[in-house]
């Protein structure tokens, strides 16, 4: 299911970039951010529910939680643009998301050189 979400994330990133370059009104671009955020949140909620009902491992819940952060970022961008809200709250949320990459990098390290390179990237 991650591939499905990432496909649409790529589409919205391209859409956001083209809309910024061509000076499209931000509210028009917010619609696609809303759809992708809703898709991401829905898929990750299903992933977490699957982990709950199939006695998933702790890492399954962590993966779902990271995916929810990703989805909420797109929803936050869409709602900020649509309602013309203060962007500082989005910046603080993104700081929290960025700080969560530190434990994610630590958990992805598998004690090999390739794992170390992947963790640093």
């Amino acid at each position: 299911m991650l591939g499905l979400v990432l496909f649409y994330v790529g589409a919205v990133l391209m859409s956001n970039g083209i809309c910024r370059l061509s000076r499209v009104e931000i509210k028009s671009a917010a619609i696609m951010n809303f759809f992708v955020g809703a898709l991401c949140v829905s898929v990750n909620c299903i992933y977490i529910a699957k982990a709950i009902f199939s006695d998933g491992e702790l890492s399954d819940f962590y993966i779902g939680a990271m995916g929810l952060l990703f989805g909420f970022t797109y929803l936050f961008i869409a709602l900020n643009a649509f309602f013309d809200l203060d962007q500082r709250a989005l910046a603080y949320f993104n700081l929290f998301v960025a700080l969560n990459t530190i434990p994610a990098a630590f958990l992805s390290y598998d004690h090999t050189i390739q794992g170390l390179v992947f963790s640093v990237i």
Side-chain angles (χ1 to χ4, degrees), residues 14-119:
M14 292 293 292
S15 173
N16 286 342
I18 292 169
C19 287
R20 294 282 176 157
L21 289 174
S22 59
R23 309 231 190 267
V24 172
E25 184 182 352
I26 192 72
K27 289 182 182 182
S28 299
I31 295 170
M32 193 64 189
N33 283 301
F34 180 75
F35 287 141
V36 170
L39 174 70
C40 190
V41 168
S42 301
V43 166
N44 284 292
C45 284
I46 292 169
Y47 190 81
I48 290 173
K50 180 181 167 195
I52 290 170
F53 293 116
S54 67
D55 295 328
E57 296 180 10
L58 189 58
S59 63
D60 293 335
F61 295 100
Y62 184 73
I63 291 168
M66 292 295 107
L68 285 175
L69 284 177
F70 204 74
F72 286 136
T73 300
Y74 281 103
L75 287 175
F76 209 143
I77 291 169
L79 293 174
N80 264 355
F82 193 72
F83 293 112
D84 197 28
L85 302 174
D86 187 8
Q87 298 290 322
R88 288 180 289 182
L90 177 62
Y92 295 139
F93 179 74
N94 286 337
L95 174 65
F96 175 73
V97 173
L99 291 175
N100 275 292
T101 62
I102 297 168
F106 179 75
L107 291 173
S108 68
Y109 178 57
D110 63 356
H111 304 291
T112 64
I113 297 297
Q114 184 180 5
L116 178 64
V117 171
F118 181 74
S119 296

